[in-house]
């Protein structure tokens, strides 16, 4: 039983079980004393505060007054609880829609057998995998709770996952002080993007809800797509489908309308991630002495993955696409700034119409022509 909209009803996802499953299955964090842990948390908070000024100065975005979102330094279970709260908020319209169809659809017996508990376990397994890998996150759609505060005006919260940061800095053998500041520069850029551009959150949420609204909620259709995805991942695709380029599970379950929306979402996410990487590298040399070493080692870590299982899960979840977003988005931002300067680049934040398309991410000159040259002619 889960509480949806305040009423206790059988849910499509058992959210509490998802949290419990992820917490039970996640890897233990690095060995660290209580005193060391407190010192890490305090340093991350100092770096996050310093990063606000560094990012604002470099990007020329926002003011001190634009930040209404809290910073939370969390452990792995804390990251899971925060993300479950965000998922629950974002997916509520879709899950309510599926709940309405549950009694009349042809797959009712299947859904009755599977139920919210199995879905909760599956989500928990996914989160347990991700919980040991995420260093930080700006949670855009975070509902405020007593345990996890969020921005007062519909804003999100900035999460820094302390044990993961410590684990990676040890794994890479880099200077901890520099690495912690480097990470906070990236995450602070995301907070600045959403707090300095008021329309961005609503635009992104609208696109995501449109994507979810196009979901075919007929259970048998969804199950058929899951079966096709499993065949693809197992190498069992029919020969006629070989030209799909080895798409991820996330891509395979889409309708044609969703693919159009995903193209726009991919462009926005590439912009946001690439911009954060660009800012991190732009600010880094002045405030992070060992930034070149950190960047090189971190890029190698991103590229190779930890194991064959890690690589398989990356493909399954579409995380390879996220790595491309960092690379392609950073190239777009760098090319535009080189051409029209930082103020010229910042026209990207004017309205949804000035965001780059997926094609323009690959060809920055086309965005410059559309946004700058046409406006000036």
């Amino acid at each position: 039983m889960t509480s949806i909209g305040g009423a206790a009803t059988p849910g499509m996802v058992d959210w509490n079980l998802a949290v419990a499953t992820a917490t039970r299955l996640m890897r233990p964090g690095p060995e660290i004393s209580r005193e060391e842990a407190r010192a890490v948390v305090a340093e991350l908070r100092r770096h996050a505060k310093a990063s606000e000024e560094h990012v604002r100065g470099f990007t020329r975005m926002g003011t001190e007054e634009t930040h209404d979102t809290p910073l939370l330094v969390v452990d792995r279970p804390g990251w899971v609880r925060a993300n479950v709260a965000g998922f629950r908020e974002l997916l509520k319209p879709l899950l309510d829609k599926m709940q309405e169809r549950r009694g009349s659809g042809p797959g009712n017996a299947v859904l009755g057998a599977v139920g919210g508990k199995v879905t909760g376990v599956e989500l928990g397994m996914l989160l347990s995998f991700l919980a040991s890998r995420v260093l930080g996150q700006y949670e855009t759609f975070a509902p405020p709770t007593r345990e996890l505060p969020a921005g007062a005006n519909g804003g999100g919260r900035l999460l820094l996952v302390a044990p993961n940061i410590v684990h990676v800095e040890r794994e890479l053998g880099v200077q901890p002080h520099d690495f912690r500041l480097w990470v906070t520069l990236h995450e602070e850029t995301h907070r600045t993007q959403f707090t300095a551009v008021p329309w961005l959150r609503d635009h992104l949420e609208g696109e995501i809800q449109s994507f979810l609204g196009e979901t075919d909620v007929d259970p048998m259709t969804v199950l058929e797509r899951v079966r096709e995805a499993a065949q693809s991942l197992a190498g069992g695709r029919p020969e006629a489908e070989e030209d799909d380029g080895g798409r991820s599970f996330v891509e395979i379950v889409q309708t044609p309308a969703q693919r159009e929306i995903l193209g726009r979402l991919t462009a926005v996410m590439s912009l946001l991630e690439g911009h954060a990487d660009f800012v991190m590298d732009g600010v880094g040399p002045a405030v992070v002495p060992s930034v070149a070493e950190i960047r090189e080692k971190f890029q190698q870590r991103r590229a190779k993955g930890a194991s064959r299982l890690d690589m398989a899960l990356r493909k399954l979840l579409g995380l390879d696409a996220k790595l491309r977003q960092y690379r392609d988005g950073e190239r777009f931002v760098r090319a535009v700034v080189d051409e029209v300067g930082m103020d010229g680049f910042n026209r990207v934040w004017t309205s949804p119409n000035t965001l780059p398309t997926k094609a323009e991410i690959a060809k920055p000159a086309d965005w410059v022509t559309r946004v700058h040259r046409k406006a000036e002619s």
Side-chain angles (χ1 to χ4, degrees), residues 63-137:
T63 65
E64 191 169 352
E65 287 70 34
T66 58
H67 282 305
D68 74 332
T69 57
L71 164 70
L72 303 178
V73 182
V74 298
D75 58 9
R76 290 170 181 175
W79 179 86
V80 167
R81 288 192 297 272
N83 276 266
V84 164
F87 284 152
R88 188 171 181 172
E89 181 81 4
L90 195 61
L91 295 177
K92 187 178 185 301
L94 173 64
L95 296 180
D96 285 351
K97 184 179 177 183
M98 294 184 73
Q99 186 79 19
E100 291 174 5
R101 291 278 299 271
R102 188 172 183 173
S104 57
N108 182 52
V110 176
L111 280 178
V114 176
K117 290 191 178 299
V118 173
T119 310
V121 169
E122 291 171 344
L123 177 59
M125 293 171 66
L126 167 62
L127 290 171
S128 72
F129 168 75
L130 296 174
S132 62
R133 286 158 174 79
V134 176
L135 302 182
Q137 172 186 357

Side-chain angles (χ1 to χ4, degrees), residues 125-302:
M125 293 171 66
L126 167 62
L127 290 171
S128 72
F129 168 75
L130 296 174
S132 62
R133 286 158 174 79
V134 176
L135 302 182
Q137 172 186 357
Y138 182 75
E139 237 200 329
T140 315
F141 308 108
T145 67
R146 184 174 58 184
E147 184 183 28
L148 296 164
N153 299 315
R157 51 187 166 234
L158 181 60
L159 306 178
L160 296 173
V161 190
N164 294 352
I165 293 172
V166 171
H167 171 79
V168 173
E169 70 191 26
R170 290 178 178 178
E171 178 186 323
L172 298 182
V174 293
Q175 212 284 333
H177 173 86
D178 287 2
F179 184 73
R180 294 166 194 175
L181 178 55
W182 189 73
V183 170
T184 59
L185 286 169
H186 182 101
E187 303 308 332
E188 180 57 42
T189 302
H190 286 316
R191 178 158 66 167
T192 297
Q193 290 163 348
F194 283 94
T195 55
V197 185
W199 54 264
L200 184 58
R201 179 189 182 278
D202 289 342
H203 171 72
L204 196 59
E205 183 176 22
E207 291 281 56
I208 292 171
Q209 291 301 338
S210 295
F211 181 89
L212 295 176
E214 289 291 335
T215 299
D216 190 336
V217 296
D218 175 71
M220 296 310 293
T221 301
V222 173
L223 289 173
E224 177 64 18
R225 289 195 180 140
V226 170
R227 184 188 64 80
E228 292 173 3
Q231 286 184 344
S232 173
L233 291 166
R237 291 174 299 175
E239 290 184 6
E241 297 179 11
E242 284 295 323
D243 63 352
D244 73 0
R247 292 180 292 159
S248 71
F249 172 83
V250 175
E251 295 169 310
I252 289 172
V253 299
Q254 292 160 17
T255 65
Q258 284 176 313
R259 291 191 187 105
E260 290 186 17
I261 299 168
L262 188 73
R264 297 194 297 270
L265 280 170
T266 298
V268 175
M269 298 311 296
S270 296
L271 171 68
L272 298 179
E273 296 293 357
H275 183 235
D277 265 12
F278 177 79
V279 172
M280 187 167 58
D281 287 347
V283 174
V287 298
V288 182
S290 59
V291 64
E293 177 192 1
I294 291 172
R295 182 68 156 154
E296 181 181 359
K297 289 183 175 180
F298 196 76
Q299 288 286 66
Q300 291 173 355
R301 182 181 184 273
R302 269 183 183 171

Side-chain angles (χ1 to χ4, degrees), residues 40 47 52 56 61 72 106 156 159 168 171 177 228-229 263 294 320 333 343 373:
V40 170
H47 285 331
E52 291 183 29
R56 283 200 305 269
M61 293 173 65
L72 303 178
L159 306 178
V168 173
E171 178 186 323
H177 173 86
E228 292 173 3
I294 291 172
D320 284 342
V333 176
D343 290 336
R373 306 290 183 253

